[in-house]
Amino acid sequence: MKPYAAAILLAILPLLSQAAPPPAARQEIAHLIGYLTASGCSFQRNGSWHDAAEAARHLQRKYDYLQKRDLVATGEDFIARAASESSLSGKPYQVRCGGNAPVASAAWLKAELAKYRSARQLR
């Protein structure tokens, strides 16, 4: 009976090691996706511009994929692995708000993450 129990433990051990990001990181990532959704900005990926809601759905799908593989533990991980560049082409994502020039999505999201964290510390 002991070899059977050991085999079961070995089979489920990888599942136990997959952990969701800490609550603070999940809140930060949810904020960033919500910020993009509400921004009204355009989001460029692979040479095409998309509206904010479509871009947010795309980043949410990438986040869900990465989360299942335990590859996102912080807001910075989310930005670096899901929201900075195309996983297919490697081309950087850009954000364009109103008539302003496009900026790298990584810089845009990092700036918002810093504001969010600063505001949370003031509470």
Side-chain angles (χ1 to χ4, degrees), residues 20-37:
R26 288 194 308 267
Q27 289 173 350
E28 290 176 352
I29 294 163
H31 171 77
L32 292 174
I33 292 171
Y35 178 72
L36 173 59
T37 302

Side-chain angles (χ1 to χ4, degrees), residues 53-105:
E54 184 180 348
R57 286 190 300 272
H58 175 72
L59 295 186
Q60 182 67 55
R61 284 190 302 271
K62 286 183 76 172
Y63 172 55
D64 293 344
Y65 173 88
L66 293 167
Q67 190 176 2
K68 288 177 187 175
R69 286 149 185 83
D70 199 24
L71 295 173
V72 177
T74 66
E76 288 85 359
D77 288 345
F78 167 73
I79 293 169
R81 294 187 175 130
S84 294
E85 67 183 25
S86 169
S87 302
L88 299 175
S89 70
K91 291 181 181 178
Y93 293 151
Q94 294 191 324
V95 177
R96 180 179 61 204
C97 300
N100 296 326
V103 297
S105 65

Side-chain angles (χ1 to χ4, degrees), residues 42-51 91 93-94 96:
S42 299
F43 194 88
Q44 185 187 59
R45 61 182 171 89
N46 293 321
S48 297
W49 288 97
H50 304 272
D51 67 35
K91 291 181 181 178
Y93 293 151
Q94 294 191 324
R96 180 179 61 204

